[in-house]
Amino acid sequence: MRVLDLGSGNGPILAALRDQGCVAIGADIDFVALQKCSERGHRVVQARAESLAVRTASVDGVVCKVVVPYTDEARVVAEIGRVLRPGGTAQLSYLAAGYYFRYLLLGPGVRRRVYALQTLVNTWWYAVTGRRLPRFLANTLYQSNRRLVRYYGAADLELVADPPARRFLRLPVYIYHELRKSHDAARADAHQSE
Ligand SMILES: C[S@@+](CC[C@H](N)C(=O)[O-])C[C@H]1O[C@@H](n2cnc3c(N)ncnc32)[C@H](O)[C@@H]1O
């Protein structure tokens, strides 16, 4: 299987994928992290998750662990839908509202609490206006099931698993989703080109 690790960082998932016999490709914006991965023999590409230099329908799987909060989430989900072949699967993990409420109320430290407040306000602003606050004010969004499901529909991605995750004040701390690229999208493309 050809699997793309989006936001591969220092490469822990690349190593696990390789151990399982996959052809793993890491993509990240961090040159230093990419270089470390490359030195360990991993295939990597420097790319923004919002505009991947990866061919359409060219990978069997995508893994993306705690990267989307730092990106333009709608564009990243659209890119995942584009690069996955029909029937391909994606495993994604996100940070949800409970993660930042926990930081806001428990810290540790003032800086964490301020960061959490910035993220919460940024996300609420984004949910209402579709725009993020200027980067110097906040650069992170927490994810919600409601917004994600909307993006999945637009990207022909089916949500096939949404297992329960840890909660804080009844709010999800993490979101774990398994997605499958619909076969219908390929059929519709073939139909159009007939
Ligand atoms: C919290 S780390 C997670 C790394 C890795 N997925 C893991 O589980 O160890 C977030 C990673 O996302 C990368 N990242 C942030 N914004 C990105 C973007 N727009 N496109 C690609 N990678 C991005 C960062 O450089 C960093 O390596």
Side-chain angles (χ1 to χ4, degrees):
M1 280 187 89
R2 216 171 121 84
V3 181
L4 178 68
D5 179 9
L6 208 47
S8 46
N10 291 329
I13 297 172
L14 291 175
L17 287 168
R18 187 167 61 186
D19 289 349
Q20 289 177 37
C22 298
V23 175
I25 305 138
D28 205 292
I29 46 170
D30 182 342
F31 181 73
V32 176
L34 289 171
Q35 208 163 20
K36 279 189 203 153
C37 290
S38 180
E39 282 162 12
R40 290 185 202 123
H42 295 302
R43 289 170 65 171
V44 288
V45 52
Q46 189 167 30
R48 296 197 74 79
E50 295 89 338
S51 54
L52 293 166
V54 175
R55 273 182 298 122
T56 299
S58 65
V59 300
D60 304 296
V62 173
V63 179
C64 186
K65 183 179 169 199
V66 191
V67 178
V68 174
Y70 316 111
T71 66
D72 182 334
E73 54 179 28
R75 286 177 60 198
V76 173
V77 173
E79 278 296 81
I80 292 171
R82 183 183 68 77
V83 300
L84 266 181
R85 66 159 173 80
T89 57
Q91 305 271 354
L92 299 122
S93 62
Y94 307 96
L95 303 178
Y99 186 88
Y100 292 99
F101 271 107
R102 196 174 61 181
Y103 269 157
L104 180 67
L105 299 177
L106 305 181
V110 176
R111 280 179 68 171
R112 283 255 165 95
R113 286 173 196 247
V114 171
Y115 172 60
L117 183 62
Q118 287 170 316
T119 300
L120 290 166
V121 173
N122 194 26
T123 310
W124 296 332
W125 179 251
Y126 180 77
V128 172
T129 66
R131 297 168 62 174
R132 304 159 73 118
L133 295 171
R135 270 195 104 73
F136 69 91
L137 286 178
N139 63 5
T140 308
L141 294 177
Y142 72 80
Q143 276 67 57
S144 75
N145 263 318
R146 218 162 89 165
R147 289 200 314 278
L148 290 170
V149 165
R150 212 171 58 224
Y151 306 146
Y152 297 160
D156 292 315
L157 292 165
E158 296 163 28
L159 179 58
V160 291
D162 178 14
R166 194 184 307 169
R167 290 187 167 256
F168 178 76
L169 299 178
R170 297 194 175 177
L171 295 167
V173 173
Y174 302 104
I175 298 173
Y176 304 109
H177 280 172
E178 182 178 334
L179 311 175
R180 186 177 301 118
K181 177 71 191 272
S182 162
H183 284 283
D184 296 345
R187 279 194 215 110
D189 286 349
H191 190 67
Q192 267 179 2
S193 61
E194 276 172 13

